Structure formats: structure tokens, C-alpha cells
């Protein structure tokens, strides 16, 4: 009997050790592969297209925009960071889900994070090679010298929003012509506002208060992570909620809540960018692969901007991605967001990453410095940190390289 | 005749006593020295593991500055203590009576145990979304997260304490005609007091360790909030400072609990 018990105990230990080791992985769990059948078919068509059919290729098709990209000479593995369901990640996601990256010799593993600073931390640790994040990440990554900003994806101010219930006094007060958003100082005084700290939403709220000659002390800000703000909204906790784009897609929000303000109506710049880990850039093989990854992303952006049908197809991909990630969304709402959102072109990027302001800063740097000023006022960053923003973290090297490959003059 | 035994024995005792007092301090000093050496020699990256002097500078900075999280260090400490002690008092107030009743009344134990065993392994962090829905985002919700963490050791230790009541004492009481409830109150519960105190100490450690998770729910101050905010702005020195504050305060409270326990249990036979 004792012998039997020993054998069973040993088996249990072996099973536990096996499970523990098989569960261990140096890389974050990867996403499920989402493949848009029509897009994958378009990409694979280029493998079998004859010369005659190439000349007849639709100039708005995905194949047309991706055919100019030369694949890598050998397959390279890249860990690509993303925030699941975030709109500015859409071109990078389509490049991945359509099989384009694989075709170009990039073995891509998508690694998801809740926000940019977390992704930057992972880059610092060498777990992520490249990715994209918004203003919070751009500031963090620059101050900590973790990643180089190789591409400015968009100004995502339009998808940074504050909501209140339709029957709230703020929603009922209507649009304030003087400020461009709902409510007067009296309407906002004492309101419990939920927002994620250290983010574009906090910056937006600060600017809104500034326009009303108010400060955070005149309202009741409650700081919590973005997913918790979303939960609080559904729980009916609070009076005003700051939500990033993906949290505003649900029917519940669209029907029962009023958008009080967004970053675009406030005239703010919330740049989001594609970034490359400085650690990864030390490896020439990875650097080349990251350049190829960016090239694929830019090709997708060109494809999206080529026609309304392409934007619709991109919106369908986006909806599929949200479904897979469990993000509550309606197709019509998604389509509106994708239509409103403007990704910067290759030429826009050359301008942003090459041209300078009167102060000698790059236009892209200038776009994040005003947010930096806000966070310095809040005590989150220092003047020394601000100096690091203009310390060579933004580079046009990759954009120039791609322009040369595509024969675009600069 | 000369007495040679007194002085060397007392001297050795004093030396031993001094060693016992100094040894913990020496351990801390050695740890800090090793930490500093790792940074000085470059064995660890300063950006990933800030040197001890950077953490000390952050401590001095936080005494009078609110950056990067918006509150002074003392404000954060007091806010965290408020959340933790509220949750702990709730856990002790509910967990200890529940544990002793479960330990004494088998029927009640059988009734409650399955639910308790299912809820026990659920980590406090997993409760955050539900807490927001049920209790909002104020002190109540955060204290409930702490409560969940601190509740389990209170129940288990109180239960075990009652179950370990000396059967001889119970039998003697029965011999003298004592009723079951009387025995429970006058023998069962007093017997369980050492274990109850042990449970309270473990509960406090558990509660204090859950602080960072609780303050992720929503906060504008607190050590956990300070750590989360510092993380968002790359202030690893403040993150380490927050962790050290949690560790040191936990040690202080553990010592206080120990003193309280000695006071309450003074004169009890082992």
C-alpha cells in the first residue's frame, strides 16, 4: 500500500512539474489568429498572378498596394505589441491577420497590453520588439529611452471622449458654443469624473477645465484604469466617464450616453505612433524586419485610404478583431469610427519627422510637448524629462528608407 | 571562596542578547550593501533596479512633494492604512466569529464549508470588476477587496483554535453539568485565543499585501496608487519606495500585533 502511495505521489508531482513547465513561456500569450478570408485571398493572389493579370490589377486592391513590398531574405520572428481593439493599431493588425507579414518573412506574435507604458516596460525587458501606442506611451518610452518613434500613425484626439448619461444635467445643458463641449462651469462643478490617470483622457479633462477657468479641484476626479472606468459606467457609478474609442462602441453607450467632448473639438494633438524597441534595433536582422513591418503597415494605410470600399473592408476587419477580443461593438458604430479616423500618409510622416518648428523641434516632437507641459504641471514629469523628448527619440530613418524603396520623392 | 561562575555567564548572556538584537539589523545592512554593490559594479541595470541611494532620494522627495502621483508620502500611507484597517476590522469581526462557530458546531461547519472552500482560492484581484458593480469605487469597495483577502486566515485560524480545545477541559465541564453553549463560551473560545491572534497577524499581512490590487480599483492616494502611478511615468525609484514602505509598515504592524498578543495572553499556561 505504501509503495502504491509513493508511486501515485510521484506521478502527481511529475504531472504538476510538467504542467508548470509547459505553462511557462517567456512571451506573453498570443492572440488568436484572425484572418479575413477576402484579405488573405487577395494577398495570396499575388503569389500566382501572371504578368498579364498584374497589369489588370485593381488599383484600389490590397494586392496592388502590397505588390511593391519585397519580402525579407529569411524569416525573422518579431514580438509585436498592441492594445487590443485600439483603432490606431488597425493597419498593423490587418497586416498581421491578412497574412501579409508572414508573406514578407515576418513571423509575427501579437502581444497585447492595456496601455502604452506597460508595452514600453515589456520593450525594456526585451519581450517586445516593436508596436504602437498613444501619447502616454510615447512620453514614457521617450523619457525612459526605451523605444524610437519611427512613424506617427495619427492624431487620435477624435477618439478620446467624455460621456454622461442622456438624462444628466450635463447632457441636457447642450453644447457650449464658447468652449466647444457640453456644459458650463456651474454644470461641471463638483461632478464625479472617472478617468485613467496619466493618459490622454486626463490631459483632455485638464484642457476642458482650463477652458471653463476651473481646475481638478473644482470637480471630483476619480482615477482608475480604463477597463475599470468602463465597468463603472455600466455599474452606474459616477457621473462622467472618460473612454477610449473601443469602450464607446457598445450599443449601450451609443444609445444611453451623450458624448460631451472629444479631443478633436478641443483642438488637441494626441499623436500615436509606431515604435521600435532600442534593444531590438541593436540587432541588424531585427532592425530590417521592423522596417519591413512598418512598410507593410504603411501599405495597409495606403490601401485603406484608397477608397470608401477599402475603409469599409478595414472596418469589417476591425469589427472581427473586436469580436475576438470580447469588445462589445456594433458594426455601424465601428464603421463610423474608422471613417472619422485619419491615418497619416507616408508624406505626412516625412513632414512630421523631418520639418522643424521655429523652436528647432520636429513637428512630431512639438505635437507631444504640449501634453508633456500638462503632465509637468500635474507633477507627473519634470523639466528634465521634457528635455528627453527632443533628444533624438523621433527618427525619420525608416520613413526615408521606405520612401526610397517605393520611389517616393522627399 | 571566589565565585567564578557568575560574571562569565552574565557576560555571555549579554553578548548573546546583543547579538540577537543586532543580527536583524546586520542582515538589513548586508542586504543594502549587496544591493548597492550590484548597482555600482553594473551587475544590474540602474534603470531596472534603482540603487538604494536613488530610493532614499525618492523618499526624501516624497516627504514634501506630491509628484508623480499627486499626494505626499504620508498622505499615501494614511490612505492605505485607512483602507487596510477598515477591511481588516471587517474581516476580524466577521471571520473570527464565523470560524469559531464553524469549529464548534459541526452541522454549521458542514453547511458553510463547501461555499467557503469554493470562494477561498479566488484571488482578490478577480473581485475588482464585481466590487465596482456592487459597491462602487469608494472606501467601501476597496475595503471589501482587503476584507476578502484578510477574511480567510481569520476563519481558518479561529476554526483550528476551537477544534484544538483540550478535550479534558470539555469533559470536566460536562462532568460539572455545564451546557454546550456555556462550554463553547467559557472554554472553547478562550482556548482558541492564541490561534485567533495568530490568524489576525496573518490576516494583516494578507490584507497589507493586497493593498496594491485594492487601490487599482480607484484611488487618488495610497501606497498602491503611488506604485501604479509611478509605474505609468517610469519612476521605478518611487515604485521601489512604495514597496519598501509596504514591507516596513507591515513589519511594524506585525510587531505591534505581537506585543498586543503577549499582553492579552499574559499569564496563560503554554
Amino acid at each position: 500500500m505504501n509503495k502504491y502511495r509513493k508511486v501515485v505521489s510521484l506521478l502527481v508531482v511529475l504531472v504538476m512539474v510538467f504542467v508548470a513547465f509547459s505553462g511557462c513561456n517567456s512571451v506573453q500569450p498570443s492572440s488568436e489568429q484572425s484572418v479575413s478570408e477576402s484579405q488573405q485571398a487577395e494577398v495570396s493572389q499575388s503569389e500566382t498572378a501572371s504578368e498579364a493579370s498584374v497589369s489588370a490589377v485593381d488599383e484600389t486592391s490590397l494586392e496592388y498596394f502590397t505588390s511593391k513590398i519585397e519580402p525579407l531574405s529569411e524569416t525573422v520572428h518579431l514580438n509585436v505589441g498592441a492594445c487590443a481593439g485600439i483603432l490606431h493599431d488597425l493597419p498593423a493588425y490587418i497586416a498581421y491577420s491578412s497574412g501579409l507579414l508572414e508573406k514578407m518573412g515576418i513571423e509575427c506574435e501579437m502581444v497585447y497590453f492595456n496601455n502604452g507604458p506597460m508595452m514600453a516596460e515589456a520593450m525594456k525587458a526585451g519581450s517586445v520588439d516593436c508596436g504602437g501606442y498613444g501619447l502616454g506611451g510615447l512620453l514614457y518610452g521617450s523619457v525612459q529611452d526605451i523605444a524610437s518613434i519611427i512613424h506617427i500613425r495619427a492624431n487620435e484626439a477624435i477618439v478620446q471622449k467624455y460621456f454622461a448619461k442622456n438624462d444628466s444635467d450635463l447632457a441636457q445643458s447642450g453644447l457650449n458654443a464658447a468652449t466647444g463641449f457640453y456644459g458650463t462651469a456651474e454644470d461641471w462643478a463638483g461632478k464625479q469624473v472617472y478617468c485613467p490617470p496619466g493618459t490622454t483622457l486626463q490631459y483632455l479633462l485638464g484642457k476642458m477645465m482650463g477652458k471653463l477657468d476651473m481646475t481638478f479641484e473644482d470637480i471630483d476626479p476619480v482615477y482608475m484604469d480604463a477597463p475599470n472606468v468602463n465597468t463603472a459606467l455600466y455599474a452606474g457609478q459616477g457621473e462622467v466617464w472618460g473612454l477610449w474609442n473601443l469602450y464607446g462602441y457598445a450599443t449601450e453607450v451609443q444609445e444611453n450616453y451623450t458624448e460631451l467632448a472629444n479631443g478633436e473639438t478641443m483642438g488637441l494633438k494626441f499623436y500615436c505612433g509606431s515604435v521600435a524597441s532600442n534593444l531590438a534595433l541593436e540587432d541588424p536582422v531585427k532592425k530590417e524586419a521592423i522596417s519591413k513591418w512598418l512598410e507593410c503597415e504603411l501599405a495597409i494605410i495606403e490601401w485603406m485610404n484608397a477608397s470608401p470600399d477599402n475603409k469599409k473592408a478595414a472596418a469589417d476587419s476591425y469589427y472581427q478583431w473586436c469580436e475576438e477580443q470580447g469588445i462589445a461593438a456594433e458594426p455601424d458604430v465601428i464603421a463610423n469610427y474608422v471613417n472619422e479616423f485619419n491615418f497619416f500618409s507616408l508624406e505626412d510622416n516625412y513632414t512630421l519627422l523631418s520639418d522643424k518648428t521655429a523652436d528647432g523641434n520636429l513637428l512630431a516632437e512639438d505635437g507631444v510637448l504640449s501634453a508633456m507641459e500638462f503632465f509637468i504641471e500635474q507633477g507627473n514629469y519634470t523639466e528634465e524629462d521634457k528635455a528627453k523628448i527632443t533628444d533624438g527619440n523621433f527618427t525619420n530613418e525608416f520613413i526615408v528608407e521606405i520612401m526610397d524603396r517605393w520611389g517616393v520623392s522627399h | 571562596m571566589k565565585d567564578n561562575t557568575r560574571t562569565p555567564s552574565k557576560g555571555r548572556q549579554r553578548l548573546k542578547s546583543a547579538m540577537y538584537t543586532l543580527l536583524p539589523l546586520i542582515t538589513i545592512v548586508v542586504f543594502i550593501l549587496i544591493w548597492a554593490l550590484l548597482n555600482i559594479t553594473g551587475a544590474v541595470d540602474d534603470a531596472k533596479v534603482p540603487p538604494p541611494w536613488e530610493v532614499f532620494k525618492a523618499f526624501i522627495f516624497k516627504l514634501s512633494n506630491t509628484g508623480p502621483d499627486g499626494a505626499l508620502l504620508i498622505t499615501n500611507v494614511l490612505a492605505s492604512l485607512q483602507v487596510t484597517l477598515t477591511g481588516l476590522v471587517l474581516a476580524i469581526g466577521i471571520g473570527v466569529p464565523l470560524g469559531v462557530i464553524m469549529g464548534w458546531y459541526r452541522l454549521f461547519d458542514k453547511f458553510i464549508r463547501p461555499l467557503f472552500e469554493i470562494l477561498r482560492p479566488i484571488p482578490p484581484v478577480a473581485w475588482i470588476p464585481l466590487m465596482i458593480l456592487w459597491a462602487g469605487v469608494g472606501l467601501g469597495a476597496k475595503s471589501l477587496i482587503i476584507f476578502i483577502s484578510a477574511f480567510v486566515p481569520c476563519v481558518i485560524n479561529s476554526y483550528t483554535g476551537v477544534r484544538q480545545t483540550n478535550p479534558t477541559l470539555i469533559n470536566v465541564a460536562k462532568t460539572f453539568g455545564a451546557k454546550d453553549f456555556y462550554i463553547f463560551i467559557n472554554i472553547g473560545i478562550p482556548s482558541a485565543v492564541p490561534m485567533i491572534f495568530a490568524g489576525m497577524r496573518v490576516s494583516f499581512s494578507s490584507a497589507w499585501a493586497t493593498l496594491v490590487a485594492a487601490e487599482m480599483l480607484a484611488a487618488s492616494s495610497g501606497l498602491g496608487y503611488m506604485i501604479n502611478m509611478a509605474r505609468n511615468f517610469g519612476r521605478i525609484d518611487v515604485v521601489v519606495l512604495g514597496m519598501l514602505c509596504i514591507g516596513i509598515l507591515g513589519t511594524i504592524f506585525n510587531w505591534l500585533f505581537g506585543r498586543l498578543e503577549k499582553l492579552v495572553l499574559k499569564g496563560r499556561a503554554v
Side-chain angles (χ1 to χ4, degrees):
Chain A
M1 194 62 183
N2 271 343
K3 206 174 172 183
Y4 173 73
R5 276 188 198 151
K6 280 181 190 168
V7 169
V8 170
S9 305
L10 186 60
L11 276 171
V12 167
V13 166
L14 282 171
V15 166
M16 284 168 69
V17 167
F18 174 74
V19 166
F21 276 107
S22 63
C24 285
N25 195 332
S26 61
V27 178
Q28 297 279 340
S30 58
S31 70
E32 291 174 25
Q33 289 226 13
S34 136
V35 177
S36 162
E37 285 182 6
S38 60
Q39 286 159 6
Q40 198 174 36
E42 284 200 57
V43 170
S44 62
Q45 269 173 20
S46 62
E47 293 175 344
T48 55
S50 65
E51 280 190 17
S53 56
V54 165
S55 65
V57 164
D58 176 8
E59 287 185 6
T60 62
S61 70
L62 189 60
E63 182 194 341
Y64 174 78
F65 290 98
T66 58
S67 59
K68 60 191 171 192
I69 306 175
E70 290 293 324
L72 295 170
S73 53
E74 56 184 55
T75 303
V76 178
H77 181 95
L78 284 182
N79 292 331
V80 178
C83 296
I86 288 280
L87 186 44
H88 68 71
D89 268 319
L90 181 58
Y93 171 74
I94 292 174
Y96 164 70
S97 66
S98 64
L100 175 62
L101 292 179
E102 198 181 340
K103 191 184 163 212
M104 293 303 151
I106 298 171
E107 190 185 82
C108 171
E109 185 145 12
M110 295 287 272
V111 186
Y112 289 114
F113 299 89
N114 274 342
N115 58 46
M118 280 188 197
M119 191 190 306
E121 278 176 356
M123 285 186 183
K124 195 193 230 179
S127 300
V128 170
D129 300 308
C130 56
Y133 40 53
L135 200 59
L138 293 181
L139 293 176
Y140 182 102
S142 299
V143 168
Q144 298 295 316
D145 198 27
I146 293 170
S148 298
I149 300 143
I150 61 176
H151 163 235
I152 305 297
R153 288 176 167 178
N155 175 6
E156 58 167 356
I158 196 168
V159 294
Q160 312 287 326
K161 305 186 186 220
Y162 276 91
F163 292 88
K165 288 211 90 163
N166 289 343
D167 56 4
S168 67
D169 53 353
L170 268 172
Q172 298 293 312
S173 67
L175 192 65
N176 183 337
T179 60
F181 58 90
Y182 281 62
T184 61
E186 289 74 33
D187 297 321
W188 279 93
K191 284 287 184 291
Q192 197 175 52
V193 182
Y194 287 21
C195 92
T199 65
T200 44
L201 284 166
Q202 187 189 15
Y203 176 40
L204 172 58
L205 185 63
K207 287 294 178 186
M208 288 160 63
M209 293 300 103
K211 278 208 167 181
L212 293 169
D213 287 324
M214 295 167 77
T215 68
F216 285 140
E217 282 166 25
D218 298 312
I219 56 173
D220 179 18
V222 178
Y223 298 118
M224 51 207 308
D225 286 344
N228 287 341
V229 174
N230 191 44
T231 306
L233 179 144
Y234 284 103
Q237 302 288 339
E239 296 171 282
V240 180
W241 301 270
L243 296 175
W244 288 324
N245 50 90
L246 70 157
Y247 299 112
Y249 296 157
T251 311
E252 164 77 20
V253 176
Q254 294 298 313
E255 288 180 358
N256 300 316
Y257 293 81
T258 301
E259 182 188 312
L260 303 175
N262 69 54
E264 191 177 75
T265 56
M266 295 293 297
L268 298 174
K269 281 185 201 151
F270 292 149
Y271 286 159
C272 49
S274 304
V275 299
S277 155
N278 290 337
L279 270 176
L281 290 178
E282 287 172 10
D283 178 350
V285 172
K286 282 212 166 163
K287 187 175 177 181
E288 190 190 355
I290 290 170
S291 178
K292 193 59 58 183
W293 168 77
L294 180 61
E295 193 177 358
C296 292
E297 185 183 348
L298 284 161
I300 298 292
I301 291 172
E302 281 197 345
W303 167 77
M304 282 174 65
N305 290 336
S307 76
D309 285 342
N310 290 353
K311 271 234 163 144
K312 171 83 179 50
D316 290 341
S317 272
Y318 191 28
Y319 176 68
Q320 196 179 356
W321 190 24
C322 288
E323 286 277 284
E324 285 166 11
Q325 297 300 320
I327 297 163
E330 291 298 316
D332 294 343
V333 174
I334 292 274
N336 279 342
Y337 268 88
V338 172
N339 271 330
E340 284 177 345
F341 199 79
N342 290 316
F343 288 94
F344 292 139
S345 66
L346 190 60
E347 291 80 4
D348 291 334
N349 263 274
Y350 181 77
T351 305
L352 284 166
L353 292 170
S354 307
D355 290 2
K356 295 192 177 182
T357 64
D359 297 330
N361 299 323
L362 294 171
L363 292 181
E365 288 168 350
D366 199 57
V368 305
L369 283 173
S370 55
M372 189 55 159
E373 295 283 354
F374 168 78
F375 289 117
I376 291 172
E377 274 171 41
Q378 298 300 310
N380 304 131
Y381 284 115
T382 63
E383 288 293 335
E384 289 79 22
D385 294 331
K386 183 181 162 188
K388 294 176 189 173
I389 300 291
T390 53
D391 200 19
N393 290 292
F394 291 74
T395 174
N396 68 357
E397 178 189 346
F398 291 78
I399 293 294
V400 167
E401 208 175 273
I402 292 168
M403 287 177 104
D404 289 341
R405 279 190 226 138
W406 290 3
V408 176
S409 60
H410 54 84
Chain B
M1 200 151 124
K2 223 164 136 182
D3 185 351
N4 291 325
T5 58
R6 260 183 65 197
T7 311
S9 172
K10 258 206 168 162
R12 227 181 308 197
Q13 273 180 4
R14 278 200 210 105
L15 186 66
K16 215 173 179 181
S17 175
M19 261 182 65
Y20 282 145
T21 310
L22 284 176
L23 202 57
L25 293 170
I26 291 170
T27 308
I28 302 291
V29 169
V30 167
F31 171 76
I32 293 173
L33 281 173
I34 293 173
W35 176 8
L37 264 169
L38 288 172
N39 284 106
I40 291 167
T41 57
V44 295
D45 182 357
D46 283 7
K48 290 182 183 173
V49 181
W53 50 90
E54 289 296 328
V55 176
F56 183 71
K57 267 165 63 180
F59 169 70
I60 301 296
F61 174 80
K62 285 297 294 172
L63 287 177
S64 55
N65 284 281
T66 56
D69 52 279
L72 296 176
L73 183 62
I74 187 66
T75 310
N76 289 325
V77 168
L78 291 174
S80 290
L81 280 174
Q82 184 187 25
V83 169
T84 306
L85 292 175
T86 307
L88 184 67
V89 164
L90 261 174
I92 292 170
I94 296 172
V96 168
L98 184 68
V100 296
I101 294 171
M102 279 171 71
W104 192 261
Y105 296 100
R106 297 302 301 271
L107 209 62
F108 186 74
D109 179 27
K110 292 275 183 215
F111 180 68
I112 293 289
R113 181 167 285 276
L115 192 62
F116 179 74
E117 290 296 336
I118 288 169
L119 293 175
R120 181 154 75 124
I122 300 173
V125 177
W127 288 93
I128 289 176
L130 284 178
M131 283 304 153
I132 296 174
L133 289 170
W134 295 343
V137 298
L139 175 64
K142 286 180 282 206
S143 301
L144 279 173
I145 300 286
I146 300 287
F147 163 80
I148 288 164
S149 172
F151 172 73
V152 170
C154 281
V155 172
I156 292 174
N157 277 55
S158 307
Y159 173 89
T160 309
V162 165
R163 298 288 291 162
Q164 286 179 349
T165 304
N166 190 338
T168 307
L169 298 177
I170 297 172
N171 290 334
V172 165
K174 280 182 179 171
T175 306
F176 282 94
K179 295 251 183 328
D180 188 53
F181 184 72
Y182 181 90
I183 300 172
F184 169 55
I185 295 293
N186 292 284
I187 295 174
I189 292 177
S191 293
V193 167
M195 284 295 286
I196 289 172
F197 263 94
M200 282 161 62
R201 285 171 81 163
V202 173
S203 283
F204 179 80
S205 300
S206 200
W208 200 234
T210 311
L211 193 58
V212 176
E215 288 175 357
M216 277 168 63
L217 197 154
S220 53
S221 60
L223 290 171
Y225 174 74
M226 184 176 88
I227 288 172
N228 283 325
M229 283 292 278
R231 178 200 188 184
N232 278 337
F233 297 105
R235 291 294 306 271
I236 307 301
D237 52 341
V238 177
V239 170
V240 173
L241 171 67
M243 289 165 66
L244 285 175
C245 286
I246 290 174
I248 291 167
L249 285 167
T251 306
I252 291 171
F253 273 93
N254 197 39
W255 177 80
L256 282 171
F257 260 109
R259 301 295 296 174
L260 181 64
E261 187 180 359
K262 275 191 183 147
L263 201 69
V264 169
L265 301 178
K266 197 174 172 182
R268 281 179 71 108
V270 174

